[in-house]
Amino acid sequence: MGQALAVSYVRVVGVERITPRTARVTFTGDALAELMEDRPDQQMKLCFPREGQEGAPRLPEPDADDTYGMRWYEAYLAIPEPERPTMRSFTVRGYDRRLDVMTVDFVLHGDDGPAARWGRDARPGDVLGMVGPSSLYARPLPAADWLLLAGDETALPAIATLLETLPAGARALVWAEAADAAEERPLGDATVHWVHRDRGGSLADAVRAARLPAGSGAAWLAGEAGAVRALRRHLVEERGLSREAVRFAGYWRRSLTQDDAPTEEDLAWAKEQAGEG
Ligand SMILES: Cc1cc2nc3c(=O)[nH]c(=O)nc-3n(C[C@H](O)[C@H](O)[C@H](O)COP(=O)(O)OP(=O)(O)OC[C@H]3O[C@@H](n4cnc5c(N)ncnc54)[C@H](O)[C@@H]3O)c2cc1C
């Protein structure tokens, strides 16, 4: 029998604005100690109550042998739309095993998304549903002489955890895109090249202008899908990184919500990620 899909509830214990547009929210939860792994880049889905719904969002119970959560997801989709909790992807920024507290950084992106709105107004005692994280989705970084990490604000929690767990002596180069200088934050033991959108910067342009080290390189890229695509193309086509050495993920799509169907481009990209493109 496989490992069951983890569906749990987490309760807010603290909220802090670490930058003008980032809410750092700390949570407790009965299942956290069991669910949290000692690995970087743990991804999960948070489930938010619909506007007007009081209390905790209501989620289906998972079956013990529903490893990939297919049956659970069908039951979730069967909840009538006006009552169905909104599900969005997030990263575990940290877990303090002594205090049993998980930290998540919410980008307050200003668009009217339910997750960003919730992060803006979060208060101690608020409850969210959580699906995952699961080691089924853990992917080790490719081995190379140096590692390039790049992403926008949504990817900074993952980049910070990746930097925290790199082996001693590993060479990491970081490009971090943010709205402006006020969004900068410490990310760990690496030189971070900040790229500010208010000054017209983009990740692809910033990396294009950089001198990359000699030796073999690998990359981890995440953020707005179009920006990630452009940077990946540059690294593979112009810098000669092998496709296998570039891990990439679109964390959000401009003008589309996470509920919107995949575009043609998303589907082509998913094929490439699966190594079929
Ligand atoms: C694996 C993974 C891990 C992630 N980790 C984090 C994390 O730790 N913290 C975090 O904040 N986000 C993270 N994200 C991104 C987050 O899931 C998306 O930004 C999500 O769309 C936010 O939901 P929403 O309800 O606020 O907006 P949605 O309802 O999904 O979208 C509403 C509108 O807002 C726009 N929008 C969405 N996100 C942004 C943005 N960042 N900047 C500008 N416009 C935006 C959309 O284009 C759309 O027009 C992660 C995504 C993935 C796939």
Side-chain angles (χ1 to χ4, degrees), residues 3-146:
Q3 172 194 11
L5 175 79
V7 178
S8 65
Y9 292 89
V10 289
R11 185 166 41 83
V12 176
V13 288
V15 184
E16 188 193 349
R17 269 309 152 87
I18 58 162
T19 69
R21 295 184 212 190
T22 312
R24 173 160 288 176
V25 182
T26 44
F27 297 90
T28 54
D30 292 344
L32 281 181
E34 199 184 321
L35 287 172
M36 295 287 121
E37 294 170 21
D38 296 321
R39 66 174 172 89
D41 192 15
Q42 294 184 76
Q43 310 173 356
M44 40 63 181
K45 310 259 186 208
L46 290 175
C47 300
F48 303 85
R50 288 274 165 156
E51 230 173 337
Q53 272 181 356
E54 293 291 321
R58 292 202 24 212
L59 295 169
E61 287 284 326
D63 293 348
D65 61 351
D66 186 18
T67 308
Y68 289 95
M70 300 298 187
R71 284 199 299 278
W72 182 87
Y73 192 59
E74 274 170 25
Y76 164 80
L77 289 179
I79 303 172
E81 226 237 292
E83 292 149 43
R84 192 186 310 143
T86 307
M87 191 151 62
R88 297 284 184 264
S89 303
F90 281 85
T91 306
V92 177
R93 170 63 188 88
Y95 174 63
D96 184 326
R97 210 163 271 285
R98 197 174 50 86
L99 299 176
D100 193 21
V101 162
M102 170 180 79
T103 303
V104 180
D105 287 349
F106 288 78
V107 177
L108 310 180
H109 52 77
D111 268 295
D112 202 26
R117 208 168 41 224
W118 183 91
R120 185 194 62 202
D121 299 335
R123 301 255 179 291
D126 290 351
V127 175
L128 296 182
M130 182 166 84
V131 183
S134 167
S135 54
L136 284 175
Y137 301 101
R139 294 202 309 159
L141 289 169
D145 296 331
W146 50 267

